[in-house]
Amino acid sequence: MNSIARRRRPPGLRLALGLCALASAPLAGQTNAGVPTTLAGAVARALDVHPSVEAAEAAARSAEAARTSARSARLPHLSVESSATRFQEPMLVAPLHGFDPTTVPDFDATLVRGTLAAGYTVFDGGRRGARIHRAEALVEAGRAARDEAEAALILRTADAWLGVLTARELVRAQESREAALDEEVERARRLLDEGAAPRLVLLRAEADRASVQADGESARQALHLARSDLARILEVAPEDLVDAPMEAPVAHEEPPSEIDAAPPGLRAPAIARAQAAAEAAEAEVDAARAAWLPTLEAQLGYGLYAGGGVDAVAEWQAGVQIRYPIFAGGARAGEVERAEAEAARARAQARIVEDETARAVDAATAAEVEARRRIVALETAVASFTELSRVERLALDEGAGTQSDWLRAEAGLFQSRAALAEARFSALRARLARARALGRLDLAWIQSLSEMTP
């Protein structure tokens, strides 16, 4: 897969799309348990251990081996054959090329024969060339499929990595909210014991705390599932990810705008694979049409004949052979028709893939634009709710505010923080999806996420 050079942008134009408030560091390493600490490290490990890439690589090697086999048809073939046979009655040792009553041919009950044969297809109507062309196209398709599998695994790994970061952020926000409500329950109980507040205040705080604790269990289970998914991809134990430091990646290029539609001439792996498959299907048509032409072969042989008690006799032979099936019951016409239909299907499929890829680029662009705008709005919302919660808490402690107002402010703060974490995840995932659709998503592209700071 290709990686492209990118210009560095002024800091004001680069968008930090990390999921946590952590500073992104450019170091990519691993913990003592072998768990990567950066997205680039996680992707590198996934590419090294995940079977999907291994399977795609094996398929690409298989296509290359098939190409080598197809190319061998252009070379002459050479074979050696030998045999030793014992007969009940003596047999003619060497071929008899004439009849001379005065000379008795050699007979023996044990015959030993050896033959060296060479042959070369002089003309086959273009069948060999078509098959070689098809094999070469399938090699390109195999390489594109390998790149496609790598990009899919990179996107899945990034999705799981960002999912863990998002879940961690939600759990932290949930725990902060639970701690605040624990304090409120204690405050309400103290006021109730002092006779300074009705029991309704304590009941409201306890109800809100129970509801938040239930949400907290859901958040913690979501984090557990996210860790399990990432651990499965990286082939590490899920418990190794519990306290593992995980850095949030940072976007490295100017984000797209609404007018950044899919550029013409996309060469994403999916498109390259579909186009190569269409080219292979066209070559199959040429191979089928070649069956209507004769085949001309040149042959050369050298034979050695001997018996148990007879001296060896050697002779050579050379010739040409023409083969042409006069009647095949419609098999050739049917094969041509089948190949043409497959070629038409492959061409149509290539156009479908091109359209789907362009749509994927447009959809990812729109998703990132939407997510970035949500980030701006939600950052403002988080700041506002943080200040509102602080003021409402101060007013509540001073007896000038109400418990319900503070609880609403806390709920709004949590919802804003959760939505902000999800928006940051959505923005970066949209960037990754766009890079994949454009054919740019590879390990080098992922590594560049940590090369620049916001």
Side-chain angles (χ1 to χ4, degrees):
M1 298 175 64
N2 24 338
S3 59
I4 60 174
R6 293 176 172 82
R7 297 176 294 171
R8 290 184 176 269
R9 303 290 183 177
L13 294 179
R14 295 196 296 266
L15 174 65
L17 295 176
L19 297 178
C20 306
L22 302 174
S24 176
L27 299 178
Q30 291 184 340
T31 64
N32 292 334
V35 179
T37 60
T38 63
L39 176 58
V43 167
R45 179 176 176 84
L47 292 174
D48 185 53
V49 302
H50 201 270
S52 62
V53 175
E54 181 180 356
E57 180 66 34
R61 292 198 304 270
S62 175
E64 291 174 356
R67 179 184 60 183
T68 301
S69 178
R71 287 175 174 174
S72 67
R74 289 195 179 277
L75 301 176
H77 61 267
L78 184 66
S79 62
V80 176
E81 182 180 350
S82 63
S83 66
T85 307
R86 177 71 178 180
F87 292 90
Q88 181 178 356
E89 300 292 337
M91 289 288 293
L92 188 66
V93 174
L96 189 62
H97 297 289
F99 180 72
D100 185 357
T102 62
T103 304
V104 179
D106 294 326
F107 286 82
D108 201 291
T110 302
L111 300 185
V112 178
R113 296 180 179 180
T115 303
L116 175 65
Y120 180 71
T121 302
V122 180
F123 177 77
D124 64 354
R127 187 180 292 108
R128 288 174 300 178
R131 289 175 176 171
I132 292 173
H133 186 193
R134 178 180 181 274
E136 290 174 344
L138 291 179
V139 167
E140 294 302 318
R143 291 172 179 172
R146 177 190 58 199
D147 293 343
E148 193 176 2
E150 289 182 357
L153 179 60
I154 290 172
L155 187 60
R156 181 187 171 191
T157 304
D159 200 358
W161 182 271
L162 298 175
V164 172
L165 291 178
T166 302
R168 281 184 174 182
E169 181 68 14
L170 295 180
V171 168
R172 281 195 291 267
Q174 192 71 35
E175 291 174 346
S176 176
R177 191 181 179 198
E178 290 175 3
L181 285 172
D182 286 340
E183 293 179 1
E184 176 58 18
V185 168
E186 292 301 321
R187 187 192 72 87
R189 181 176 288 112
R190 185 175 64 254
L191 292 177
L192 178 62
D193 293 341
E194 296 172 353
R199 182 170 178 78
L200 179 62
V201 174
L202 177 60
L203 292 176
R204 186 186 296 119
E206 288 178 338
D208 267 35
R209 181 176 66 175
S211 176
V212 168
Q213 287 174 342
D215 293 340
E217 289 304 317
S218 298
R220 281 182 276 274
Q221 285 303 310
L223 176 58
H224 174 72
L225 289 177
R227 285 188 187 128
S228 298
D229 185 35
L230 181 60
R232 192 175 300 108
I233 295 173
L234 301 181
E235 295 189 2
V236 298
E239 52 269 20
D240 293 338
L241 296 174
V242 173
D243 298 318
M246 296 173 61
E247 299 177 4
V250 178
H252 58 79
E253 60 183 11
E254 184 178 358
S257 63
E258 295 93 334
I259 61 174
D260 287 339
L266 284 175
R267 287 297 293 174
I271 295 177
R273 176 178 53 80
Q275 291 177 342
E279 188 175 348
E282 295 285 356
E284 188 70 19
V285 174
D286 294 337
R289 289 172 177 168
W292 288 98
L293 298 176
T295 300
L296 176 63
E297 294 182 356
Q299 299 173 345
L300 178 65
Y302 184 81
L304 186 66
Y305 307 92
V310 180
D311 294 337
V313 177
E315 67 175 37
W316 62 269
Q317 52 185 297
V320 294
Q321 181 180 12
I322 298 179
R323 291 198 308 269
Y324 182 75
I326 298 175
F327 177 73
R332 289 176 294 182
E335 183 64 19
V336 171
E337 185 177 355
R338 182 203 63 80
E340 289 175 343
E342 285 295 321
R345 184 198 61 79
R347 289 192 299 268
Q349 184 62 33
R351 292 197 300 270
I352 291 173
V353 172
E354 290 174 1
D355 179 68
E356 290 177 346
T357 303
R359 289 177 58 192
V361 172
D362 295 342
T365 300
E368 183 175 357
V369 170
E370 175 189 354
R372 286 191 296 110
R373 291 179 177 176
R374 283 176 51 82
I375 289 171
V376 173
L378 289 169
E379 285 175 344
T380 302
V382 168
S384 298
F385 273 114
T386 300
E387 180 62 17
L388 178 61
S389 177
R390 185 187 69 83
V391 172
E392 291 289 354
R393 185 68 204 186
L394 289 175
L396 184 62
D397 292 340
E398 295 295 329
T402 62
Q403 183 189 57
S404 58
D405 289 340
W406 176 75
L407 290 175
R408 279 195 297 270
E410 276 291 301
L413 175 59
F414 171 76
Q415 291 170 0
S416 299
R417 289 181 63 182
L420 178 59
E422 291 172 353
R424 285 172 172 164
F425 164 77
S426 298
L428 188 50
R429 193 189 187 286
R431 179 71 62 86
L432 292 165
R434 188 172 191 271
R436 179 191 179 187
L438 292 172
R440 301 172 183 171
L441 187 59
D442 57 9
L443 179 58
W445 193 93
I446 291 293
Q447 288 172 336
S448 67
L449 288 176
S450 298
E451 291 179 358
M452 300 176 67
T453 56

